Amino acid sequence: MALRILHGEFLSHHVGVMHHLLTPERLLSSVAARPALSTLIDGNISSANETSPPKILSPFRTGESDPQNHSESQLGRHYTIPEDIKQTIFKHGGLPKKFDELTHVFTETSIMVRKPFLEIKDYVKKIDFNRPAVRFVLYGETGQGKSMTLAHVVHYGFNAGFLLVHVPWVNSFMRKSKDISPSESKPGMLDVPINAAAWLVHFRAQNQHLLQKLDFKTSKSYQYGPRDTIDAGAPIEELIEFGVGRAKYACDVVEDLLREVKSASNSGLFKTMVVIDGFNGLFSPFMKTLRMKKKVIHQRCTLALPFLEISRFDWCNGVVVLSVDKHAHTDPFNAESALPLYLLGKEGWEHLDPFIPINVEEYNTAETNSALDYYIDRRWIQHPGAQSESGRAELRAMCGGNGLELLKLCAPL
Amino acid sequence: MENCMLRDDKFMDHGFMKREPKNTLAREHFENGKMNSISLLLRSNLRFSSIHNKSVVAYSSQAAKENVTIKKKKPISRAMRAYIDRVKQFEENLIVESKEYSDGKRFLANIMGEDPAHFTPKDVDKSVEYLLPSGLFQKLARPEMAPPEETIEKAKFDINGRPFHFLFYTGASHLYETQFETVKRINRAEKLLEQIHRKGHTPEKENKMDLVTSEWQDISEMEKTINESIRDDHFEQTMQALERLAQHPMSGHFKDFLMNYRKATTVNMTEMVFPEIQQDPDGRYSVQHTTKRKTAVATVTIRSPGEGKFVINGQPGLLYFSDVGAREHVLFPYQVTGLMEKVDTEVTVEGGGFNGQSGAIRYATSLCLAALVDEQGRVKLQLAGLLRRDPRVKERKKFGKAGARRGYTWLKR
């Protein structure tokens, strides 16, 4: 057996913390070596430094941390999102809650490279951006990795220089809105000011670097209150700043901002990537949660409109990646199917048609093995029985290829 | 040899034992003729004493009056005298009853048109059943005619007023005798072990009894074996002693004794019928079987060789069951036979809850796998208790109760 040493990037981030845990001897004992050693050597790692031995990775890892370079050869392997990028794009949400908790335990944010992502990436590379925006809809059973794929896509969009319009979870404002108040600009509708302001903060955090570089300015002046005016030609940050500071107008600001984004994309200033998780939530009734009781409100939410607007195909230089989820359905526990036609309903289907459906399937055996290896490596699985081949076979069968289920099953091991 | 260790008078003491003992030991005694001769001896002795008491015994008041040749009257307590009177009464009663029985039998034979000389107790039962037909469910409640020796309780004391059994005054004579005999054997086993150790050897494995093929009798079976009702705590004590002997390295020497209190677990495999193996057009072997558990009915088709795929009611994987325990249920037979990820399974299941469904699937799977594996695999399945239908069902609700057993919450009126 050859020594297996973690790639330099990982070590540089986590020297000390994991050093004692990840001695080569421990890795050898914990990870059953499946593929031949030659396949373990990642082509993307350079061995320029002659004094250090060649950098060999565990079979479940890839050193390639840029999703733009991910390809079939990395299929089923985990890549690590650099900590600074994670802080930029996922600070205000975007990773599933259970996974986000684990990133603290694992001291890294690693996502498995899977087929749905590669599919989207290949399509996006081939898209003619002069044509109307293409819509992708991810679908699949709960826990099979739709949100993780979207997180991967967001990272890809960030690295590829897209302006990100990312909604981590639609039902955070369609179901669990913090505050509801009647809209002034749209009589008969309701505002969710705090959620809207929070989303503006998220947008600003994700696109800070791009907004500083670009010459992105308002195309017209906006009048919100008698003394609250944004002049035409003002930097777009000013508009965002205003929305964050004056939450009362945040919903209107979101609408105007996305309209600006659309027109700027049309003019070719930048390319935009829209990522919305739980998109079908926008077509379910607006609800208010009060002391664990949900109350349906027979008025529409103003914050839903701009996201519906930007998911249309009447603009160019944009790509829209959406997911439909049973959990975002009107009746989450009685949702009969995970297919887009059922979850979107008539209204949603007509809104999105035509789109490219992408099925997020369950793990295959290789992917399950990779996930198990990763959990063993991170000491999420410590029980010797679970590390034996019979234990792994049992876990493979028990989880049924569902990543979330595997995570839950391994939690007490 | 072991059988002889039990005291013969044990069976004499079974005065209240109305029928032939079910115990194998006792049956052997019957076959040997020992029991018969002894009991006959006893009976004749009793009769003799009651009829010819003048010359033999000197304790009855009548005898004391008639026989003046005895030098001195032995002092007898009032209780003893009362007992002896009762014994005499019993003997006299027995003679009358016996005459009545033989007269009745002859009468019955005449009614039935049979020869009275060759009219057996079996014929008596038959004719009583014919002449006095009864629809009563309880067999004990139906009319019967039996010889008085069988129906009238016999004495537990001999003619001298001494109990037949040496542990009579313990109140649980046969149970304590079992414990006594067990401890005697434990001591003998210790001695045997010591002899081996003294020679500098270690006991061979064959010296220990095979405990896999048999298991302990439960309390009700034990009661039948020793023909005595047993208290729970007494049963526990006895089992502790027996277990100690069984676990002893030299327990093989006392196999015959121990097997009196054990029952075989393995049934004859040749008698069991397993589902037929068929060959599919694709060259694979398939076995199909339908079983029930509670109200669930499952049809399982197993195809070999396979990759460990599951399809339950059209849903791939085991995630048809959200309950982890139910999934474990389904997997268990594969783990026992070592066919995990080696065969494909297709299941149709309906009725019942998740536990009933998983139980039905497990039973059907076990029978199908038993058809596919060799004799050794079948024994494994059998020992795991998988080749037997689980007869437990939901207990019915009782009136006046919230459920089967639970009472309603008490309310102060």
Side-chain angles (χ1 to χ4, degrees), chain A residues 198-210:
Chain A
W199 185 81
L200 284 171
V201 170
H202 181 58
F203 178 84
R204 189 175 59 184
Q206 280 188 329
N207 301 301
Q208 193 97 51
H209 66 295
L210 213 59

Side-chain angles (χ1 to χ4, degrees), chain A residues 362 365 389-390 392-394 396-400 402 405 409, chain B residues 308 310 316-319 322 324-325 327-328 331 335 340-341:
Chain A
E362 62 266 37
T365 315
E389 194 41 56
S390 61
R392 291 170 70 107
E394 184 178 336
R396 278 198 292 273
M398 290 280 285
C399 76
N402 191 306
E405 199 64 39
L409 285 170
Chain B
F310 283 95
L318 286 178
L319 292 181
S322 56
V324 177
R327 275 180 259 159
E328 294 268 14
L331 280 186
Q335 290 174 328
M340 199 84 172
E341 299 190 332

Side-chain angles (χ1 to χ4, degrees), chain B residues 107-120:
Chain B
F107 188 53
L108 202 59
N110 286 335
I111 293 173
M112 299 301 290
E114 302 271 342
D115 180 17
H118 299 100
F119 206 60
T120 59

Side-chain angles (χ1 to χ4, degrees), chain A residues 101 118 136 143 166 192 204 240 291 328 341 355 387 405:
Chain A
E101 284 166 4
L118 293 179
F136 298 96
H166 177 214
V192 279
R204 189 175 59 184
I240 300 166
R291 291 195 193 87
L341 181 59
F355 63 85
Q387 295 176 24
E405 199 64 39

